[in-house]
C-alpha cells in the first residue's frame, strides 16, 4: 500500500472552522462509506460517491484501491474535492475495485492516523476496511488486545476490527471477519476490500445505513442512495440488519450469521443526517421531513405571519408546517454557503460572529412580523439563542421557536456527536427554562409519538417497527459495555479516542 503522500502531512493539524462548530451546537454524523467492485477507474467512481456523501463528514477522506496485484491507498485531511480530482485519482489509485470513507470534523486535533480506510497485510493477503458507526465495547476490546500484545497505530475503534480479524484462527477470511463481528457491540456499517472481494456488513439492529447499487452490471455499496445517483447507478436494495454481502467475480452472496432481530434504524437519519434526496429504507427523506413539519403544526399550531426555516436542515419541516397550518413560508434567513471551511482560529470573537458569518436575516421578510422559526433539533442551545436574537434584531415582533424532533435528553453512543448529558440543554432545563434561555416567545418540540406518525406509524401500535430513538427516550438498543464499572470510558465522539 503506498503511503508516501501521508508522510508529507503526518505532522500537519487541522484548525477548527469556528463557523461550522458554533460551540458544538449541531449534531454531526460520524462517517460515510462507499465501495465499488470490478469497474474501470474504480477510485474515480469512489471519489464521486464520497462527494455525494460529503455531508456525512468533512474532516478527512480516504480511498484504497486494488489493481489486481497490489493495493494503493491515500488518506487526506480536508474535503474530497481538495485531494481527489478525477484524473489524478485514477493515476495515483489504479484498479477496478476500491473503497472510500469520509470522516466528520471533530473539535479536537485531527490526526491522519485515524483517517480511513484502514489497511493491513494479513496472512491471507491485504485487507482494507472503512466503518460508519461507533462500537460500544471498543475500549474494552482494545485493552484486552493490548494486554495480549497487539500494537495499535490509531485511536479509531475501526482498528479493533482489523486486529480481531488478524487474530482469528479461522482458515477463510470471511469466517475470520464474521468471528470479529461476533465480538463487537454497537452500531456499524462496514465496507471491506480484499484482493478478490468487496464485503459489506451491517450491525444486527441495522442502526447505521448501507445500500446496494448496480452500475453496468457491477455492484456498488454506499451509505446513502444519493451516492448512487451521482454516478448514475441503480438502487438495488438495502443491506439488511445483521447481513453480510460478499461481492466477487461470481456475483453477490448474502450471509446472515446472526440470530434474527427486529431492525432498529437510527431515527436521526430521517431527522437530520441523510441528504434530503436520499431514500432510506424505502422512505424519501425529504417527504419524511415535510411530514414531521406537518405533525408539528398539528401539535403546535401558532398564530403567526410567517414560517421561517433555519437553513438548510429546517427547510423541509418548515414547508410541511406551512402547508399544514396555512401560515406562509418565507426564507427569512439566508445562508452563506461559501463560509464553510475558512479554517480560522476558534477564538471567542470567531464564535461570537460565527452565526452571522453563516446566516443573515432577510429583514424585508421578518420586520414587523410574528415569526415561527423551524429547526430540526436543539443540542446545547447556543446557536438557537443567536438565531432568535437575529430575528429580533431584524424587527420581528414575536419569535416562536419550534423543533421538528423531540427534546434531546440523552447522549448517543452509536456514531452521532452529542455532548454528555449534563451539556444537553433539554436534559438540564425545563421547557420554560429552555424558552427563557433561548429568548423566544414560545418554544415547542415534536413529540416522540409525532415522529412515529410522520414515519407512518402509531408509536404504541404493537406491529409498528421500533427505531433507535434513545436520544429522546433513553431506550438504548445495545449493551454499553465501555460505560459499565471499570470499563467506563468516554464514548462521546467528542473524545479523540473515538
Amino acid at each position: 500500500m503506498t503511503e508516501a503522500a501521508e508522510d508529507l502531512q503526518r505532522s500537519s493539524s487541522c484548525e477548527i472552522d469556528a463557523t461550522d462548530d458554533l460551540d458544538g451546537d449541531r449534531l454531526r454524523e460520524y462517517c460515510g462509506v462507499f465501495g465499488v467492485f470490478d469497474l474501470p477507474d474504480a477510485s474515480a467512481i469512489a471519489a464521486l460517491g464520497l462527494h455525494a456523501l460529503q455531508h456525512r463528514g468533512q474532516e478527512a477522506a480516504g480511498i484504497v484501491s486494488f489493481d489486481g496485484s497490489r493495493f494503493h491507498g491515500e488518506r487526506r485531511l480536508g474535503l474530497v474535492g481538495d485531494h481527489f480530482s478525477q484524473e489524478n485519482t485514477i493515476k495515483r489509485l489504479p484498479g477496478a475495485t476500491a473503497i472510500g470513507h469520509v470522516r466528520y470534523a471533530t473539535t479536537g486535533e485531527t490526526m491522519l492516523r485515524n483517517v480511513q480506510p484502514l489497511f493491513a497485510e494479513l496472512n491471507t493477503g491485504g485487507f482494507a476496511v472503512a466503518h460508519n458507526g461507533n462500537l460500544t465495547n471498543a475500549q474494552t476490546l482494545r485493552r484486552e488486545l493490548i494486554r495480549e500484545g497487539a500494537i495499535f497505530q490509531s485511536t479509531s475503534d475501526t482498528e479493533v476490527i482489523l486486529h480481531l480479524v488478524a487474530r482469528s484462527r479461522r482458515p477463510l477470511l470471511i469466517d475470520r471477519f464474521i468471528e470479529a463481528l461476533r465480538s463487537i457491540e454497537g452500531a456499524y456499517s462496514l465496507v471491506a476490500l480484499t484482493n478478490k472481494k468487496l464485503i459489506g456488513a451491517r450491525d444486527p439492529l441495522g442502526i447505521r445505513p448501507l445500500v446496494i447499487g448496480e452500475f453496468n452490471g457491477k455492484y456498488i455499496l454506499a451509505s446513502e442512495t444519493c451516492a448512487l445517483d451521482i454516478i448514475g447507478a441503480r438502487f438495488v436494495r438495502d443491506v439488511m440488519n445483521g447481513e453480510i454481502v460478499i461481492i466477487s467475480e461470481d456475483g453477490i452472496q448474502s450471509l446472515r450469521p446472526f440470530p434474527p432481530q427486529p431492525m432498529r434504524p437510527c431515527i436521526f437519519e430521517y431527522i437530520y443526517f441523510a441528504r434530503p434526496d436520499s431514500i432510506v429504507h424505502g422512505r424519501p427523506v425529504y417527504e419524511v421531513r415535510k411530514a414531521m413539519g406537518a405533525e408539528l403544526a398539528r401539535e403546535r399550531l401558532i398564530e403567526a405571519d410567517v414560517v421561517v426555516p433555519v437553513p438548510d436542515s429546517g427547510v423541509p419541516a418548515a414547508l410541511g408546517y406551512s402547508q399544514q397550518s396555512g401560515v406562509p413560508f418565507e426564507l427569512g434567513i439566508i445562508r452563506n454557503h461559501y463560509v464553510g471551511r475558512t479554517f480560522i482560529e476558534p477564538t471567542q470573537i470567531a464564535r461570537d460572529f460565527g452565526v452571522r458569518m453563516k446566516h443573515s436575516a432577510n429583514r424585508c421578510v421578518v420586520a414587523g412580523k410574528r415569526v415561527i422559526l423551524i429547526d430540526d433539533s436543539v443540542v446545547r442551545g447556543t446557536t438557537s439563542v443567536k438565531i432568535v436574537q437575529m430575528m429580533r434584531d431584524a424587527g420581528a415582533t414575536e419569535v416562536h421557536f419550534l423543533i421538528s424532533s423531540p427534546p434531546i435528553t440523552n447522549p448517543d453512543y452509536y456514531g452521532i456527536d452529542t455532548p454528555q448529558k449534563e451539556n444537553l440543554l433539554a436534559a438540564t432545563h425545563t421547557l420554560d427554562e429552555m424558552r427563557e434561555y433561548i429568548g423566544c416567545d414560545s418554544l415547542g418540540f415534536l413529540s416522540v409519538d409525532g415522529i412515529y406518525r410522520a414515519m407512518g406509524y402509531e408509536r404504541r401500535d404493537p406491529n409498528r417497527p421500533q427505531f433507535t430513538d434513545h436520544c429522546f427516550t433513553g431506550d438504548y438498543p445495545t449493551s454499553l459495555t465501555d460505560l459499565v464499572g471499570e470499563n467506563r470510558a468516554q464514548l462521546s465522539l467528542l473524545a479523540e479516542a473515538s
Side-chain angles (χ1 to χ4, degrees):
M1 182 177 180
T2 59
E3 299 285 355
E6 291 188 7
D7 295 335
L8 299 175
Q9 296 194 26
R10 196 168 296 278
S11 63
S12 66
S13 65
C14 179
E15 294 173 338
I16 302 304
D17 177 1
T19 62
D20 250 358
D21 181 52
L22 302 177
D23 290 319
D25 195 32
R26 301 302 298 177
L27 295 169
R28 301 191 182 201
E29 225 280 343
Y30 191 34
C31 298
V33 297
F34 189 89
V36 54
F37 185 83
D38 196 23
L39 279 171
D41 303 331
S43 60
I45 295 172
L48 282 171
L50 295 180
H51 270 292
L53 298 173
Q54 189 76 86
H55 61 288
R56 300 185 76 90
Q58 300 88 47
E59 174 196 81
I63 296 174
V64 170
S65 69
F66 182 69
D67 66 4
S69 60
R70 61 179 299 194
F71 290 85
H72 308 266
E74 284 195 11
R75 299 178 293 162
R76 300 282 189 149
L77 305 179
L79 301 176
V80 176
D82 293 341
H83 303 292
F84 296 101
S85 65
Q86 295 296 291
E87 182 178 354
N88 290 334
T89 299
I90 294 169
K91 290 180 180 178
R92 299 194 311 259
L93 301 168
T97 303
I99 63 173
H101 186 271
V102 288
R103 176 184 172 93
Y104 97 122
T106 67
T107 57
E109 182 185 21
T110 298
M111 295 182 295
L112 196 61
R113 60 180 175 156
N114 283 339
V115 181
Q116 300 180 45
L118 298 184
F119 176 85
E121 290 283 0
L122 309 181
N123 63 348
T124 54
F127 183 72
V129 62
H131 170 209
N132 168 218
N134 200 50
L135 307 184
T136 56
N137 65 337
Q139 299 301 317
T140 302
L141 291 172
R142 183 187 182 93
R143 285 191 291 270
E144 293 173 357
L145 288 164
I146 289 173
R147 280 196 295 266
E148 294 172 3
I151 300 173
F152 279 77
Q153 300 297 316
S154 76
T155 58
S156 168
D157 56 0
T158 309
E159 192 174 0
V160 170
I161 299 171
L162 273 182
H163 281 278
L164 291 172
V165 172
R167 286 171 172 257
S168 172
R169 302 289 186 178
R170 303 275 184 173
L172 298 178
L173 187 139
I174 191 62
D175 292 330
R176 299 169 73 167
F177 184 65
I178 292 171
E179 186 174 67
L181 296 187
R182 292 187 191 279
S183 299
I184 62 178
E185 300 169 357
Y188 57 84
S189 283
L190 302 171
V191 292
L193 183 63
T194 74
N195 55 4
K196 293 183 179 180
K197 297 178 176 68
L198 172 66
I199 303 170
R202 200 169 174 199
D203 66 76
L205 293 175
I207 298 173
R208 300 262 68 86
L210 191 65
V211 301
I212 303 170
E214 179 268 328
F215 181 74
N216 289 345
K218 307 298 182 180
Y219 289 106
I220 309 285
L221 296 173
S223 290
E224 291 183 39
T225 60
C226 64
L228 305 178
D229 296 337
I230 197 173
I231 62 172
R234 177 181 65 88
F235 170 73
V236 176
R237 66 175 178 89
D238 293 286
V239 176
M240 299 307 296
N241 54 312
E243 183 182 16
I244 297 173
V245 293
I246 305 166
I247 300 168
S248 67
E249 291 181 351
D250 297 326
I252 187 167
Q253 178 187 6
S254 172
L255 302 178
R256 301 298 295 267
F258 302 104
Q261 298 185 60
M263 181 179 288
R264 291 193 61 175
C266 179
I267 194 66
F268 269 107
E269 293 290 341
Y270 297 98
I271 294 170
Y272 181 75
F273 293 128
R275 237 173 62 168
D277 55 329
S278 283
I279 297 173
V280 178
H281 300 117
R283 292 181 175 86
V285 173
Y286 177 77
E287 293 299 327
V288 171
R289 290 177 186 168
K290 282 184 65 179
M292 290 175 182
E295 287 297 330
L296 188 59
R298 295 185 182 101
E299 293 184 358
R300 305 280 181 175
L301 186 60
I302 294 173
E303 289 189 12
D305 302 307
V306 63
V307 174
V308 172
V310 177
D312 289 324
S313 57
V315 171
L319 280 169
Y321 188 98
S322 173
Q323 291 172 2
Q324 176 64 34
S325 67
V327 180
F329 171 94
E330 295 286 355
L331 295 178
I333 300 173
I334 305 302
R335 181 180 176 186
N336 181 356
H337 290 268
Y338 303 99
V339 74
R341 293 193 65 85
T342 53
F343 292 97
I344 59 178
E345 286 283 353
T347 62
Q348 188 57 47
I349 291 176
R351 293 190 188 280
D352 289 344
F353 286 95
V355 170
R356 279 180 279 180
M357 290 176 66
K358 180 169 270 189
H359 298 103
S360 300
N362 191 355
R363 185 177 295 271
C364 68
V365 168
V366 302
K369 303 287 182 60
R370 297 170 298 174
V371 174
I372 298 174
L373 274 177
I374 305 285
D375 205 353
D376 61 85
S377 58
V378 170
V379 185
R380 298 174 187 266
T382 51
T383 302
S384 303
V385 171
K386 296 170 185 177
I387 292 290
V388 168
Q389 187 59 48
M390 181 189 299
M391 293 291 94
R392 296 203 186 280
D393 291 344
T397 59
E398 296 177 12
V399 182
H400 304 275
F401 198 38
L402 298 181
I403 310 301
S404 60
S405 66
I408 299 174
T409 54
N410 298 277
D412 180 82
Y413 303 116
Y414 301 111
I416 302 173
D417 176 5
T418 54
Q420 291 300 288
K421 192 177 182 76
E422 59 269 21
N423 293 321
L424 291 167
L425 188 67
T428 57
H429 295 70
T430 66
L431 184 65
D432 194 57
E433 288 170 342
M434 293 175 68
R435 181 201 59 76
E436 185 175 355
Y437 172 75
I438 292 171
C440 49
D441 292 284
S442 68
L443 175 66
F445 292 83
L446 183 61
S447 68
V448 175
D449 286 346
I451 283 284
Y452 277 86
R453 285 194 297 270
M455 298 295 297
Y457 306 104
E458 289 296 329
R459 183 184 174 210
R460 292 176 176 83
D461 181 348
N463 297 316
R464 65 110 174 99
Q466 173 71 46
F467 292 92
T468 293
D469 55 13
H470 53 276
C471 287
F472 312 131
T473 64
D475 178 16
Y476 290 95
T478 75
S479 299
L480 302 177
T481 300
D482 286 344
L483 286 179
V484 178
E486 65 178 13
N487 295 324
R488 186 175 181 85
Q490 171 59 275
L491 281 175
S492 169
L493 293 176
L494 293 175
E496 176 190 324
S498 60

